[in-house]
Amino acid sequence: RLSGPWQQVMQRAAQSPDRYRLNVTDRDDLNACGPAGRLIAVTADSARTLPPPQLEAVLAHELGHRLGWRAIPAFVHTHLTWPSRLLWWVLRSLWEPVVPMWKRAVEWHRPIGFLLVFLLAALASAVSVVAAVPAAATYVVRLVTRPLAVHSDFQADAFAVHLGLGLALLAALDHRIEATPADAELPLPLVRRAERLRRDMM
């Protein structure tokens, strides 16, 4: 499924297919963050479900991320998202039980209850001291790189438009937006990209 669209993208971009290597990631998103080096990432869901013209447009978008410095902000932002969320989740998980345990210890009126609260608070404090600096650092870097990552997505879309694949990319975006379940939130990044694409092609 990838071979034909990939060859077409390489011809349109006047690039050698041997210069890059395709990497399929097991995700349900439309786009994948381009990894470092000469790898072009495409999600398994896109590879399975998109018709060839739309798949070609998505591949062109991912290729656009590889040109110049545009892949760096998206790469940094994406790869810091998971450790940042994990660190904040650990901190919240450690501190959330402290207040309920304190209330229960007061109800029990027994030393063992207060001892457990003290031990949990001490553990949470120790972990917070160790994790606070990396958690804050990753959070700040995510905030700084987010606008640059969004801008790099717009630039990659513009590259697909330059290759004559704007309408196919817009169709892929609209299809993914329309496929969002009724009880789920709209994927706002995709909505903004679709709106910008429509403006650029008018």
Side-chain angles (χ1 to χ4, degrees):
R1 285 187 59 82
L2 290 173
S3 178
W6 180 239
Q7 293 289 336
Q8 292 295 323
V9 170
M10 290 291 98
Q11 289 179 11
R12 287 174 179 266
Q15 299 276 338
S16 170
D18 299 331
R19 185 179 180 186
Y20 300 97
R21 185 162 59 92
L22 285 177
N23 177 43
V24 181
T25 65
D26 189 17
R27 294 176 58 184
D28 294 331
D29 299 334
L30 179 65
N31 298 127
C33 175
R38 293 297 179 182
L39 292 176
I40 300 291
V42 60
T43 64
D45 187 69
S46 293
R48 284 193 304 264
T49 63
L50 293 180
Q54 294 181 20
L55 184 55
E56 190 177 333
V58 170
L59 287 169
H61 170 92
E62 299 303 337
L63 176 62
H65 276 302
R66 302 305 318 138
L67 303 177
W69 62 273
R70 290 175 286 196
I72 298 174
F75 180 84
V76 171
H77 176 76
T78 300
H79 288 274
L80 283 181
T81 296
W82 185 82
S84 175
R85 289 179 177 174
L86 176 63
L87 287 168
W88 287 113
W89 176 83
V90 168
L91 293 179
R92 286 196 306 271
S93 299
L94 285 172
W95 283 106
E96 281 178 357
V98 172
V99 173
M101 285 185 65
W102 173 260
K103 292 179 179 178
R104 186 166 295 179
V106 172
E107 292 174 359
W108 287 351
H109 291 292
R110 294 185 179 179
I112 187 65
F114 295 101
L115 178 61
L116 290 175
V117 172
F118 173 77
L119 291 176
L120 180 60
L123 175 64
S125 298
V127 173
S128 297
V129 170
V130 174
V133 172
T138 55
Y139 183 74
V140 169
V141 174
R142 279 181 58 206
L143 288 179
V144 171
T145 56
R146 181 176 177 80
L148 297 175
V150 172
H151 184 63
S152 71
D153 260 337
F154 291 149
Q155 288 183 315
D157 287 346
F159 179 75
V161 172
H162 175 71
L163 296 185
L165 296 167
L167 288 176
L169 181 58
L170 182 58
L173 292 171
D174 285 339
H175 174 74
R176 183 51 55 92
I177 293 168
E178 292 167 1
T180 304
D183 57 344
E185 294 184 4
L186 278 176
L188 290 181
L190 295 186
V191 173
R192 295 190 185 101
R193 284 175 55 193
E195 291 174 349
R196 180 154 180 164
L197 264 177
R198 287 190 181 89
R199 290 198 305 269
D200 291 347
M201 293 189 298
M202 286 179 63

